[in-house]
Amino acid sequence: MSNTRLSSFDFEHIVKAALDEDISHGDVTTNILVLSVTTTHATIQAKQALTVAGIPVVQKIFELLDPTISLTLEHGDGDTITTGQVIASLEGCTRSILTGERVALNFLQHLSGIATLTKQFCEAVHEFPAKILDTRKTTPGLRKLEKWAVTMGGGLNHRMSLNDGILIKDNHLAILKTQGINITQACRLAKTNGPHGLRICVEIESLDDIDQALEGQADVLLLDNMTPELVHQAVTQIKGRAIVEVSGGITLTNVREFAAAGADYISIGALTHSAPAVDISLDIPFSA
Amino acid sequence: MSNTRLSSFDFEHIVKAALDEDISHGDVTTNILVLSVTTTHATIQAKQALTVAGIPVVQKIFELLDPTISLTLEHGDGDTITTGQVIASLEGCTRSILTGERVALNFLQHLSGIATLTKQFCEAVHEFPAKILDTRKTTPGLRKLEKWAVTMGGGLNHRMSLNDGILIKDNHLAILKTQGINITQACRLAKTNGPHGLRICVEIESLDDIDQALEGQADVLLLDNMTPELVHQAVTQIKGRAIVEVSGGITLTNVREFAAAGADYISIGALTHSAPAVDISLDIPFSA
Amino acid sequence: MSNTRLSSFDFEHIVKAALDEDISHGDVTTNILVLSVTTTHATIQAKQALTVAGIPVVQKIFELLDPTISLTLEHGDGDTITTGQVIASLEGCTRSILTGERVALNFLQHLSGIATLTKQFCEAVHEFPAKILDTRKTTPGLRKLEKWAVTMGGGLNHRMSLNDGILIKDNHLAILKTQGINITQACRLAKTNGPHGLRICVEIESLDDIDQALEGQADVLLLDNMTPELVHQAVTQIKGRAIVEVSGGITLTNVREFAAAGADYISIGALTHSAPAVDISLDIPFSA
Amino acid sequence: MSNTRLSSFDFEHIVKAALDEDISHGDVTTNILVLSVTTTHATIQAKQALTVAGIPVVQKIFELLDPTISLTLEHGDGDTITTGQVIASLEGCTRSILTGERVALNFLQHLSGIATLTKQFCEAVHEFPAKILDTRKTTPGLRKLEKWAVTMGGGLNHRMSLNDGILIKDNHLAILKTQGINITQACRLAKTNGPHGLRICVEIESLDDIDQALEGQADVLLLDNMTPELVHQAVTQIKGRAIVEVSGGITLTNVREFAAAGADYISIGALTHSAPAVDISLDIPFSA
Amino acid sequence: MSNTRLSSFDFEHIVKAALDEDISHGDVTTNILVLSVTTTHATIQAKQALTVAGIPVVQKIFELLDPTISLTLEHGDGDTITTGQVIASLEGCTRSILTGERVALNFLQHLSGIATLTKQFCEAVHEFPAKILDTRKTTPGLRKLEKWAVTMGGGLNHRMSLNDGILIKDNHLAILKTQGINITQACRLAKTNGPHGLRICVEIESLDDIDQALEGQADVLLLDNMTPELVHQAVTQIKGRAIVEVSGGITLTNVREFAAAGADYISIGALTHSAPAVDISLDIPFSA
Amino acid sequence: MSNTRLSSFDFEHIVKAALDEDISHGDVTTNILVLSVTTTHATIQAKQALTVAGIPVVQKIFELLDPTISLTLEHGDGDTITTGQVIASLEGCTRSILTGERVALNFLQHLSGIATLTKQFCEAVHEFPAKILDTRKTTPGLRKLEKWAVTMGGGLNHRMSLNDGILIKDNHLAILKTQGINITQACRLAKTNGPHGLRICVEIESLDDIDQALEGQADVLLLDNMTPELVHQAVTQIKGRAIVEVSGGITLTNVREFAAAGADYISIGALTHSAPAVDISLDIPFSA
């Protein structure tokens, strides 16, 4: 069950901006070559194995551009498909289909890229209870869509913004240290001053910090940039007295080790900031 | 010399949206732990070798968030730096610096990622006259910024939108074929109907298409998804009668071969759709 | 220490909308009677005892309308003042002062009304540890400003939006009950599915619900529409195993009883949805 | 007959802002507890006697949030109902109903609060020809909606903005006095310079001002902050030579006296700036 | 004295839209030919006799585009100048000056065109008391700017919108006639139902309508599409009992006759809907 | 075939702004005179011979204002009609029709004015191959609509923005001259630096410039402010080695001579900056 939602209300303005950005004053090539009365059939196809995300965006794009286009779905967000499978087919005004192609693919390839990478991380740890989380390292303007794509790949969403979680990070601790405030005191300060509905999460740089944090009644310990071995030691030391999240330096190669070390949550910035686009194309059959 | 520009007028709305998205109703952690009167010193540092892009965006972020923050630049867009080098330092209200950190880094890591990858492609072909171009495969909403980052890495910008270039693609040709119109005729149609200020560019799928395109007086031939060997043959066949652009399947490994084969331009979607974020951090020294 | 922030970045668009709404195509009376070169002196004065909130908004209004107006503050947000005290004085173009008067007062009277009412509630419970909270029952479009005003009156902010807290309300429980899910199970479901940074808060309608909620490891129990006597019983029953919040039917007359009954937090919708405007005027001395 | 209108074109942007403000990145509680396929039935009910206003806004909220929700109206804007009466019922996706609940109620309780208070003022003067008017003392951003609510309670709208009426107020007169211009001359100046479609209204502070204003051919005299006795004297002195409006210090207790004193119009800021929210709830029956 | 105002607050969004529309993704010609470090001197010059309007817009354009550009004014809005006179000079970054040129001239030529035409109408009637008015026949989106330009040419502004005046037009009368309501009754209905601050203006198609309108106590009679002779007859018949406005078919050739016939106001749609642009150029001296 | 497009997506925001500008807080006259339940029939009629443009905008206006209005078209964009012909008829709520009348006519009269003037220019040169082009001298905010209107009159669109064409103008050449760069070198610089999809167009002030431009391989020569005789000489000198465009001082009287002189394209700023509005009215028959 997801803690995010995707309504067209949330992304319509992004779609409009993207169409405006790409079409600008008009698709000059299509307009000079294709008569406005021509209609055609086209398919959107996977050119590699991938997990789909972004279909509601594609629907909105063609709805905004030309409500007479009919879009038939073969697959929806969250489906994992293989090379050559058709995701959707389009029928209608040729000009509109060609004009919307690039914007539709840009969204679909980017979001499915995120879903696909997330899926790979989730599968790598499937034997363990650890859950894969995203971060706030998202592309500016696309956070809701990218976090949606993460859930389509089987991941969970971490904080959506600075407002919906207390996370005491290294820079906060550095500032507080100059004022003579240690980790224990920082956690207590957060408990006293913070909204009563938020748990206290604190970043842990070394095993020495753990006891201080637990003494401050931290609810979640975020083990930052530790090796799987250190994580294992930390989990042993924590003994279930706090939730354990790990972050930093996690790759498809080593994620299983972190899960095996006992982490409850593994948060990975690369899910959203470095997932390569997957290959998807819009094709018009010659015999159309 | 670049054919794009970067004025704050162009990206201020994106920065506002990104701040709104991340800060939402407020940075709860910072507000409960750090007094509003505290000031601090922080540095933005490269954690890997990279080419910088996005500094004007970082300036705008802190200007919008808190005009009293002072930002001192050590490096600017287009500079290539190594691990550990400081890009900029910040001085001022601790709350504002911590609250703006993530948005600033999200832009800087993404845009510098694009500049860094572009630089690698440019260096790979530096012995040849071929120039590296981006495409319209950009992240929705960020086209101007991403195309700016490409130029900071030494690349050139292809079409900014569907309106500023005639590019007859495979899907256009498929449509026209069903109406009995071949490549030669398509090029002529574009010449007659198109704006008199735009050249005619046409996508070429096989060597057979080349003579048809030249007969139609195409100005640019875009060789799509060919091997370096085929490109070489095509260049020989074209004999300077048209500009040669190649696209499709270009990687850091093979780009040199395409340049060696005689392409005038090499356009690469991955520059903008798949460049991984580079590692940059904002640090507050403990002794601050 | 507040968990909200007030930067002009957050409310500039509301101020623009309010100016546009009131000025529309121009202040016809002022423009036909007062020459554009006339300057004047004016004061903003309290006509009753009140707690000030909204000064940054007033500053922004005159800055947008006419940057040459100089505004001198005698009091700032959070100050409690008495009848006749001057809050600020203005000097500059008469037309601009008269044209901005109503919008400035509309914001200042509304926000100071909220701060003033909140202050009264806070003072009523000052002998007890209970803290006064606002709710999401705010005026559409003004949530950040109204929640800011609450903190200026000494209150704390509850959830800013549906995204930054888990609060299982009566309607959620009604829905779950039809599926055979009781309070204990609902709390556990929230713990399993919810973001790991959020505590579990649950609405309690009767004393019978308390043990179920505690069994489900709820972190906060929201006692809804109970009498002070029932609250006292509930607090006794809970024995510190969860944070206690009360809500519903709280007035200036009875709030002290709820605090005395042992509530940790008292949340009051009226702070924002029913605070009457306080009386503040902008005066131009006849001898100016 | 009303001189305002309410089309969704006018308030759609406010509704969007309110939804965005409340939902932010998503209704986390509902999303983790309620499956997206669940549907339910809910009613919107009056918890006190009230006059309804805001139904078109509620319709727009659910239309934007989820067009599949069906909303059945039992009462519309302008209806006066009693405790327990159902205003509307909703049928559809449980998540959407719960997510939209608070925003819908915030609008409905605020606007119905204004209509209800206005109705009380209108009833208090129903034996007299005096009409109840609102003012420009409205909540920033909500003027059209609040003025609509006033008409639903039986009141009339005064100026919508500074542009649609000439009203020479105390501050205008103070400024003009320093230039040796008295009330008579101010009225004449307004007549000469003002748009030929607007009447001249002038604020009257004492009985002495009346003859000056009439000499200047003022069309409307606004008697400010006078007692009912003074208003009676003023009406006698004016003898039908101008329209009489009273304002300042009007309450439900004394409004009848002002009407009895012969005022044509009574304008009341509290209608919009201090009307308490009325109690309305959204309920989901346990047996749904 | 004008009943409009021109603050940058009112037109900044139009200027941004115009810059975005013209510059789109960048001034490609300037960017490839002119180095970003080049500075230059340029003048904005009248190529014909004209009355200036739009200088604040030009200032805002360059301020938004490049705040380092310095703009020195030789003439301001309302000045009437002759061929060859310099209106303003610019100094600064060559790229910015060339990029902003067209947008600046588009505003300045259009608005000065309106001021120039208005001035000609005003001069044609200068021997008579009649005043020249604009109408609501303005270019969509530019009403405030165009109405400002009218005042710069010496004209007055009629209604700014449908909200700030009661004008009973032929179509209203046609509708009312089908319900058995004549002109007298229409005027009375407007008096009873209308806001008490607005005068009653009614359109008069023939001399027969005049007495009906006067009987209904209309304040302003708008004589529509009458000859100067008929206007003269109407004025004689009205005998000062109402303000007389004429409209329809007014040209520079016949406007003097309408003024001579005794009209108080002459309203002319062509001022804003058909004023040709005046000739103004931005020149860079060769020796710069 | 047109190189522009007109989708409601492109102009909806302009229509909204125009409605907001004209209606503001409501059509007070109509609301006080016409009951909301009244319906009526109305026609939009040509009062002069004209070419229609703007029908999709009129449709959008009534759709936004009141979706229950039915609009029946007799003529569409591009149709040339005579005095008295009905363009469209409307059926529905009287208030909505009267409230939308002025905005609908403002768009329709302006855009049809442009189409009508363009048509006259096209007809004047119909014996010659020369094509009529617009320029970037458009009304701020209305470029897409105005360029659409030009195509409806039979003209072609020149550059839509500074981004979609290289046009080396007099000011560019003046700047380059101070750096010792002549026309030939400027053209070569543009070829080297410019996007490979854009042709090189250069402004020619005298016959001497022609050989320099051709030596620089300019694709298009823009003959600026020349007489038809000089254009003839230039065409002879160019001998088909470049496309010939003329501009400056073109009127309906002399345009035929320029076409006869051999120009390929004739670009005319007056099409968009000085086309007078055509006369169109909305009528409600008395017997409706």
Side-chain angles (χ1 to χ4, degrees), chain D residues 1-2 4-5 148, chain E residues 179, chain F residues 30-40 66 68 92-96:
Chain D
M1 217 178 293
S2 155
T4 192
R5 76 201 172 95
W148 166 259
Chain E
Q179 299 166 10
Chain F
T30 299
N31 291 343
I32 61 180
L33 290 178
V34 183
L35 290 170
S36 60
V37 296
T38 313
T39 61
T40 202
D66 182 349
T68 67
C93 171
T94 310
R95 280 193 181 184
S96 303

Side-chain angles (χ1 to χ4, degrees), chain D residues 44 55-56 58-59 70-77 86-89:
Chain D
I44 296 179
I55 291 297
V58 173
Q59 291 175 308
S70 98
L71 186 87
T72 310
L73 296 182
E74 303 298 328
H75 288 287
D77 282 16
V86 169
I87 299 170
S89 59

Side-chain angles (χ1 to χ4, degrees), chain D residues 2-286:
Chain D
S2 155
N3 66 340
T4 192
R5 76 201 172 95
L6 193 68
S7 96
S8 94
F9 176 72
D10 285 324
F11 59 76
E12 190 166 335
H13 64 286
I14 312 174
V15 168
K16 282 183 177 170
L19 284 169
D20 204 48
E21 183 181 69
D22 193 46
I23 303 178
S24 191
H25 290 279
D27 178 355
V28 66
T29 312
T30 299
N31 292 342
I32 62 180
L33 290 178
V34 182
L35 290 171
S36 60
V37 295
T38 312
T39 61
T40 202
H41 174 82
T43 57
I44 296 179
Q45 275 186 287
K47 299 289 185 192
Q48 65 170 89
L50 56 85
T51 299
V52 178
I55 291 297
V57 180
V58 173
Q59 291 175 308
K60 176 57 69 181
I61 286 167
F62 287 104
E63 184 192 317
L64 280 172
L65 210 54
D66 182 347
T68 68
I69 295 276
S70 98
L71 186 87
T72 310
L73 296 182
E74 303 298 328
H75 288 287
D77 282 16
D79 288 358
T80 295
I81 61 178
T82 57
T83 308
Q85 280 194 276
V86 169
I87 299 170
S89 59
L90 294 139
E91 191 80 44
C93 171
T94 309
R95 279 193 181 185
S96 304
I97 290 174
L98 292 178
T99 299
E101 171 184 350
R102 185 73 265 139
V103 175
L105 292 181
N106 281 351
F107 274 105
L108 199 57
Q109 292 182 271
H110 179 65
L111 296 175
S112 299
I114 290 171
T116 300
L117 183 60
T118 304
K119 184 89 172 185
Q120 292 166 353
F121 273 101
C122 290
E123 282 172 356
V125 304
H126 79 279
E127 310 154 58
F128 304 97
K131 293 171 179 168
I132 300 298
L133 287 175
D134 56 26
T135 66
R136 283 168 42 246
K137 297 178 180 175
T138 55
T139 311
L142 299 182
R143 184 165 293 174
K144 275 187 197 169
L145 287 173
E146 293 187 345
K147 292 217 164 208
W148 166 259
V150 165
T151 67
M152 290 301 100
L156 295 182
N157 297 142
H158 209 301
R159 291 196 291 179
M160 301 303 287
S161 76
L162 287 165
N163 187 53
D164 60 349
I166 297 172
L167 178 41
I168 310 175
K169 301 196 72 174
D170 52 353
N171 278 337
H172 294 109
L173 293 171
I175 296 290
L176 293 170
K177 200 173 182 182
T178 64
Q179 298 166 13
I181 297 175
N182 68 15
I183 297 182
T184 306
Q185 293 162 322
C187 293
R188 286 182 183 147
L189 197 58
K191 195 148 228 152
T192 307
N193 290 334
H196 64 298
L198 300 183
R199 296 215 176 96
I200 310 300
C201 312
V202 63
E203 206 167 295
I204 297 296
E205 304 285 328
S206 72
L207 298 181
D208 298 343
D209 295 345
I210 292 177
D211 288 339
Q212 278 193 56
L214 291 173
E215 195 184 334
Q217 290 189 279
D219 300 292
V220 183
L221 305 195
L222 169 51
L223 310 181
D224 193 36
N225 280 315
M226 292 190 180
T227 60
E229 293 67 36
L230 270 176
V231 168
H232 180 73
Q233 277 187 258
V235 169
T236 309
Q237 187 176 341
I238 293 164
K239 289 203 196 77
R241 287 173 293 171
I243 295 167
V244 176
E245 178 183 344
V246 302
S247 191
I250 321 278
T251 64
L252 273 174
T253 314
N254 65 20
V255 65
R256 196 183 171 285
E257 295 175 64
F258 285 100
D264 297 305
Y265 294 93
I266 301 173
S267 54
I268 304 166
L271 294 187
T272 49
H273 71 50
S274 297
V278 288
D279 198 359
I280 299 174
S281 68
L282 184 148
D283 301 300
I284 295 182
F286 279 85

Side-chain angles (χ1 to χ4, degrees), chain E residues 236-270:
Chain E
T236 308
Q237 188 176 338
I238 294 163
K239 288 205 198 77
R241 287 172 293 170
I243 295 167
V244 177
E245 178 183 345
V246 300
S247 190
I250 320 280
T251 64
L252 274 174
T253 314
N254 66 20
V255 66
R256 196 183 171 285
E257 293 175 65
F258 284 100
D264 297 306
Y265 293 93
I266 302 173
S267 55
I268 304 166

Side-chain angles (χ1 to χ4, degrees), chain A residues 35 38 41 73 83 117 129 146 165 176 203-204 220 237 245 248:
Chain A
L35 289 169
T38 312
H41 174 83
L73 296 182
T83 309
L117 183 59
E146 292 186 346
L176 293 171
E203 206 168 294
I204 297 295
V220 183
Q237 188 175 340
E245 178 184 344

Side-chain angles (χ1 to χ4, degrees), chain F residues 171-229:
Chain F
N171 278 337
H172 294 108
L173 293 171
I175 296 290
L176 293 171
K177 201 172 180 182
T178 64
Q179 298 166 12
I181 297 174
N182 68 15
I183 297 180
T184 306
Q185 292 162 323
C187 293
R188 286 181 183 148
L189 196 58
K191 195 148 227 152
T192 307
N193 290 334
H196 65 297
L198 300 183
R199 295 215 176 96
I200 310 299
C201 313
V202 63
E203 205 167 295
I204 297 295
E205 303 286 325
S206 72
L207 298 182
D208 299 343
D209 295 345
I210 292 176
D211 288 340
Q212 278 195 55
L214 291 173
E215 196 184 333
Q217 288 189 281
D219 300 292
V220 183
L221 305 194
L222 168 51
L223 310 181
D224 192 37
N225 280 315
M226 292 190 181
T227 59
E229 294 68 36

